[in-house]
Amino acid sequence: AKHTKFYLSLIMAFFGLTALGAQNPFAAATKESCLVQIFSSEDFKEGFDAVAKGESYVSPEKIVDILAYVYHGPAPEPELIMFQEKFGKDRTEPISWEDFNIAYEELVAKIESDEATLTGRLGPAASYVSYDDLCKAKEKGIKLDKGPKENLTGPMTAVQEFGWLAHESVEKRTIHGKKSCPETVYASELVKAGVFY
């Protein structure tokens, strides 16, 4: 029994250190979800310094590069839009690290307060509050305003994978009609004439 507890503690320690993904994958995959708060101020400072290359300021166009450095690739669209709106889309004067850090902290505070108010409410990926509401909508034939492609960044289930990119992979094919044999043409003419009625 003592060895079993030790073995189980090792297994649990392993699973505690493994990154298994988000607690709520549907909420994390919504187009409105933000990941800015998972990065620290030091992460953004490192990205700012890498893009600034020794300068103390960066141009507003370099926000995209800073976020790409921090995210290790292109930043999600909502985060990019949030930062651009924070500094103003028409801004021409350079951005200092202090200004960038203040904007980052304000965005994180806003995201955390929004998450706190949304807890317990219908999530952005959900369309119905209960199964009964879903059944009633199906009976009445009510169509949703937004489908999964408008709410989520990618397919969440294996069933959704089939139609997710269907319009992009379908090739246009020309359909060649089948020529009828003389007997079929004769029979169809008889039917048109009313012989078999």
Side-chain angles (χ1 to χ4, degrees), residues 11-171:
I11 291 174
M12 298 319 277
F14 169 77
F15 282 111
L17 297 175
T18 307
L20 296 176
Q23 291 267 336
N24 185 351
F26 287 97
T30 58
K31 290 187 176 177
E32 291 85 21
S33 68
C34 294
L35 303 173
V36 175
Q37 70 275 16
I38 67 171
F39 298 106
S40 67
S41 181
E42 291 80 24
D43 294 330
F44 280 102
K45 174 67 172 154
E46 184 180 332
F48 187 91
D49 291 341
V51 171
K53 298 179 182 165
E55 302 276 329
S56 57
Y57 295 94
V58 294
S59 63
E61 303 88 46
K62 296 291 184 178
I63 292 174
V64 177
D65 298 330
I66 294 170
L67 293 178
Y69 182 91
V70 173
Y71 282 89
H72 299 287
E77 196 69 25
E79 279 88 359
L80 185 59
I81 291 170
M82 282 174 27
F83 271 99
Q84 288 173 339
E85 287 176 351
K86 196 71 178 166
F87 291 112
K89 292 188 177 190
D90 300 329
R91 181 177 176 146
T92 55
E93 63 265 6
I95 301 167
S96 68
W97 163 245
E98 290 77 20
D99 293 340
F100 191 90
N101 193 36
I102 289 169
Y104 160 74
E105 289 173 354
E106 288 174 357
L107 287 174
V108 169
K110 181 184 180 304
I111 290 167
E112 289 174 352
S113 69
D114 289 349
E115 284 178 354
T117 58
L118 290 175
T119 304
R121 296 168 79 194
L122 185 64
S127 301
Y128 299 102
V129 178
S130 69
Y131 180 71
D132 291 336
D133 292 343
L134 171 66
C135 291
K136 287 176 186 174
K138 286 175 90 174
E139 286 175 10
K140 294 179 181 179
I142 298 172
K143 188 175 177 184
L144 295 173
D145 296 335
K146 291 165 113 183
K149 288 181 81 172
E150 288 83 22
N151 287 332
L152 303 170
T153 58
M156 295 300 298
T157 63
V159 173
Q160 287 179 344
E161 289 176 6
F162 283 104
W164 200 266
L165 301 174
H167 68 281
E168 296 173 8
S169 63
V170 173
E171 297 177 10

Side-chain angles (χ1 to χ4, degrees), residues 175-179:
I175 299 173
H176 304 286
K178 182 181 173 186
K179 292 186 178 181

